[in-house]
Amino acid sequence: MRQDEKKYRGLMMAAIFGLVALLASVQLLDQQALRSLVRENGPIEIASAAGYVLVLLIMILKGGWDFFRKHAYLFVLVAAFGLRELDFHTRFTTMGIFKSKFYLSPSVPLPEKMIGALVCLALLACLILCLRKHLKTFPAKVREETSSMSIGVALLFMAVSKGVDGLSAKLSRLGLELTAALSLSFRSMEEILELGIPMMLIVSTLAYFRKRSAPPRS
């Protein structure tokens, strides 16, 4: 393994352990302090949004116009994740544009539905383009390259955070009730995992550009 690969692999592991330590330490807080930490537009959510901004800045500064021209879909997807952290998908509309109810509800004006549909179609097009360009080679790269491995970890964080999102409501439909403390613990897990996504993307972006600028092996 190249020295720079070891460096960024270590950075990725340090970020993961840091997230685990953060998750463990916040459980020691009283419920009021923890609720303040993980609230909407709270410190962790703002840090997550700032992480996505940092990813975009790294891509712009390291890649320049040529990288943007070839990978504009990545900029769009990363920006969309950052805006979602700031609740832009609900801030200017009657309800969240990613819900089917948004398009079926008679209370949502038609212009809103059209704009929401255009945004969703644009994001879907970027996602499909990303998958077409990278999905085939990703499984092989994820075992060898830190830039791809950290993307894999980010996807894992995304899946788990989505699983615990609104867990209380999901379990209540099955007749299971969580205590307020346990529900808050799952909420903190969700927020910290969502913070981990841009952290992994930062590591991935730095590792990618370091590898691209490194001299080829002899």
Side-chain angles (χ1 to χ4, degrees), residues 135-199:
L135 185 60
K136 189 182 239 184
T137 58
F138 183 75
K141 288 182 177 180
V142 78
R143 295 191 296 268
E144 301 172 2
E145 301 176 359
T146 305
S147 56
S148 297
M149 185 180 293
S150 49
I151 291 290
V153 176
L155 291 173
L156 177 62
F157 286 169
M158 202 177 298
V160 178
S161 65
K162 188 65 178 174
V164 298
D165 181 20
L167 188 61
S168 295
K170 293 172 185 175
L171 290 176
S172 66
R173 296 190 197 106
L174 302 174
L176 302 172
E177 294 292 335
L178 294 180
T179 64
L182 192 54
S183 180
L184 188 57
S185 293
F186 279 115
R187 168 74 173 157
S188 67
M189 180 188 296
E190 177 199 347
E191 290 296 326
I192 290 170
L193 286 172
E194 288 182 351
L195 173 62
I197 297 169
M199 289 175 66

Side-chain angles (χ1 to χ4, degrees), residues 2-215:
R2 298 175 67 130
Q3 193 62 35
D4 53 347
E5 280 289 319
K6 289 182 179 179
K7 172 185 173 182
Y8 289 107
R9 190 73 56 86
L11 182 60
M12 181 187 73
M13 295 306 299
I16 292 171
F17 284 125
L19 289 167
V20 172
L22 177 61
L23 180 59
S25 61
V26 298
Q27 305 308 316
L28 302 176
L29 299 173
D30 61 74
Q31 288 196 25
Q32 184 176 352
L34 182 54
R35 195 174 290 111
S36 176
L37 191 65
V38 302
R39 73 183 192 278
E40 291 293 325
N41 298 316
I44 293 182
E45 197 167 273
I46 294 297
S48 298
Y52 288 112
V53 172
L54 186 54
V55 175
L56 291 172
L57 286 175
I58 294 170
M59 289 196 292
I60 292 168
L61 294 175
K62 296 281 189 180
W65 170 249
D66 186 57
F67 182 81
F68 176 81
R69 183 173 55 83
K70 293 177 180 176
H71 303 88
Y73 57 92
L74 291 179
F75 283 82
V76 172
L77 291 174
V78 171
F81 278 120
L83 291 173
R84 190 184 183 285
E85 281 297 319
L86 297 174
D87 297 324
F88 269 60
H89 62 301
T90 60
R91 196 178 293 271
F92 306 106
T93 52
T94 307
M95 63 184 75
I97 65 172
F98 300 127
K99 295 180 178 180
S100 59
K101 186 179 177 182
F102 175 81
Y103 303 97
L104 300 175
S105 174
S107 65
V108 179
L110 182 59
E112 274 191 30
K113 293 179 181 180
M114 293 175 66
I115 293 171
L118 286 174
V119 170
C120 289
L121 286 173
L123 292 176
L124 182 61
C126 289
L127 180 60
I128 291 172
L129 184 57
C130 181
L131 292 174
R132 285 184 61 186
K133 287 198 170 192
H134 304 288
L135 185 60
K136 189 182 239 184
T137 58
F138 183 75
K141 288 182 177 180
V142 78
R143 295 191 296 268
E144 301 172 2
E145 301 176 359
T146 305
S147 56
S148 297
M149 185 180 293
S150 49
I151 291 290
V153 176
L155 291 173
L156 177 62
F157 286 169
M158 202 177 298
V160 178
S161 65
K162 188 65 178 174
V164 298
D165 181 20
L167 188 61
S168 295
K170 293 172 185 175
L171 290 176
S172 66
R173 296 190 197 106
L174 302 174
L176 302 172
E177 294 292 335
L178 294 180
T179 64
L182 192 54
S183 180
L184 188 57
S185 293
F186 279 115
R187 168 74 173 157
S188 67
M189 180 188 296
E190 177 199 347
E191 290 296 326
I192 290 170
L193 286 172
E194 288 182 351
L195 173 62
I197 297 169
M199 289 175 66
M200 291 299 105
L201 294 183
I202 290 169
V203 173
S204 175
T205 309
L206 290 172
Y208 170 79
F209 284 111
R210 179 64 187 92
K211 181 181 179 182
R212 200 171 77 156
S213 64

